[in-house]
Amino acid sequence: MPSCRHAPRAGSSCLEARHEEPPISTDPIARQLLDAVRPELGYRERAGKHTKFGEWYADNVAKDPDFKAAPWCDMFVSWAADRAGVQDHVGEFALTTRHAKWFKEHHAWTDKPEPGAVVFFDWSGSKKIRDIDHVGIVEKVVGGKVHTIEGNVDGVWLKRKVRDKSKIVGYGLPRKVKVTPKAPVTIQPVAAVNASVQKAAGPITRNMAATQGQSLDLVWSPGDAVLPAGLLFAVVSTAVTGLRFKAAAATSGGRHRKRG
């Protein structure tokens, strides 16, 4: 049976006595988020309260230069989520109270810490979201203490902290935020659009030309340019309407359907 190298205190575990790291999280979102924040440890706020996280948020999210010198603890979390490619699971916020509410609305709020969770603090010890003062990211939990990585701490730093649970309001769990997959958008090449328009509009244009006594050769050729927007709309609308009419007639046998 394995034993601790140093005798543990009464009631303590080998993990506490040897200060071992807990197992690495198996959650890929947590791993990606922590991998993005660890290289930033030791970052320091610049003169005038400016940070690269505030500048990123001002330029890419808020579109407002005032955020460049704003308190940056939550903008750091948002920046890290974007860098890790998990922003849809973490959110992009500068206001901690709004961020916490967002997790709650997504049914991703808990009072149990885990690596990769977004942790929200209230220094007065309140457990109310409206009183939240600060935010960070949980790196690990050991011996009842929450180890975090936080920005805008001790005045100007981005660093590791060990926090007592009495100051923690709750945790947002990125892994529990359900993200709806975005439908792919297919853009059809202009040549293909021209070909479909020619196919649909050719017979109509030739019929019109025939009634006006014009030569059919002058009406349409494969090298013709794209139709003007107004004419294109009219031609495609006419073709689509005709197709719909034929389809409806084929399904209903030419009779009106009864309403349910």
Side-chain angles (χ1 to χ4, degrees), residues 14-247:
C14 290
L15 180 64
E16 291 176 64
R18 294 171 60 182
H19 305 288
E20 291 180 349
E21 294 284 335
I24 297 173
S25 173
T26 55
D27 172 34
I29 297 173
R31 287 203 311 271
Q32 288 169 241
L33 188 58
L34 288 169
D35 285 347
V37 299
R38 287 187 181 113
E40 302 304 317
L41 287 165
Y43 180 89
R44 182 171 181 167
E45 180 183 292
R46 302 195 299 266
K49 300 184 182 297
H50 281 255
T51 66
K52 67 179 181 180
F53 313 114
E55 289 173 358
W56 170 84
Y57 192 90
D59 294 339
N60 297 280
V61 182
K63 309 295 183 184
D64 183 345
D66 287 346
F67 283 86
K68 293 184 178 183
W72 51 281
C73 61
D74 212 0
M75 293 191 289
F76 160 64
V77 174
S78 300
W79 175 92
D82 180 80
R83 178 62 60 94
V86 295
Q87 63 271 29
D88 290 342
H89 294 272
V90 177
E92 293 181 333
F93 294 87
L95 185 62
T96 54
T97 51
R98 191 171 295 171
H99 199 171
K101 287 177 184 175
W102 181 83
F103 275 115
K104 201 157 190 179
E105 288 164 2
H106 281 77
H107 308 290
W109 183 257
T110 184
D111 59 355
K112 292 180 174 61
E114 63 181 56
V118 180
V119 52
F120 295 88
F121 302 92
D122 172 37
W123 304 136
S124 70
S126 159
K127 296 297 180 180
K128 297 176 181 176
I129 286 179
R130 69 185 183 198
D131 296 327
I132 288 172
D133 299 307
H134 183 62
V135 66
I137 298 170
V138 176
E139 185 175 26
K140 60 185 178 180
V141 184
V142 181
K145 295 289 185 181
V146 180
H147 295 242
T148 63
I149 296 176
E150 303 168 27
N152 198 23
V153 291
D154 297 339
V156 294
W157 293 99
L158 193 163
K159 62 198 306 187
R160 285 187 169 102
K161 301 291 285 185
V162 181
R163 298 295 192 184
D164 189 277
K165 291 181 181 178
S166 65
K167 303 296 183 183
I168 294 172
V169 179
Y171 307 86
L173 300 181
R175 66 177 177 81
K176 293 194 73 175
V177 175
K178 304 298 181 188
V179 177
T180 306
K182 296 175 182 176
V185 178
T186 304
I187 300 176
Q188 197 174 13
V190 173
V193 174
N194 277 349
S196 353
V197 171
Q198 289 176 21
K199 185 175 180 181
I204 299 171
T205 314
R206 283 194 288 272
N207 290 341
M208 290 171 61
T211 58
Q212 295 173 16
Q214 296 177 10
S215 168
L216 300 184
D217 295 332
L218 299 177
V219 177
W220 194 278
S221 70
D224 285 345
V226 180
L227 288 173
L231 180 56
L232 175 60
F233 175 80
V235 168
V236 173
S237 297
T238 306
V240 170
T241 303
L243 290 172
R244 284 179 180 165
F245 177 80
K246 287 180 183 177

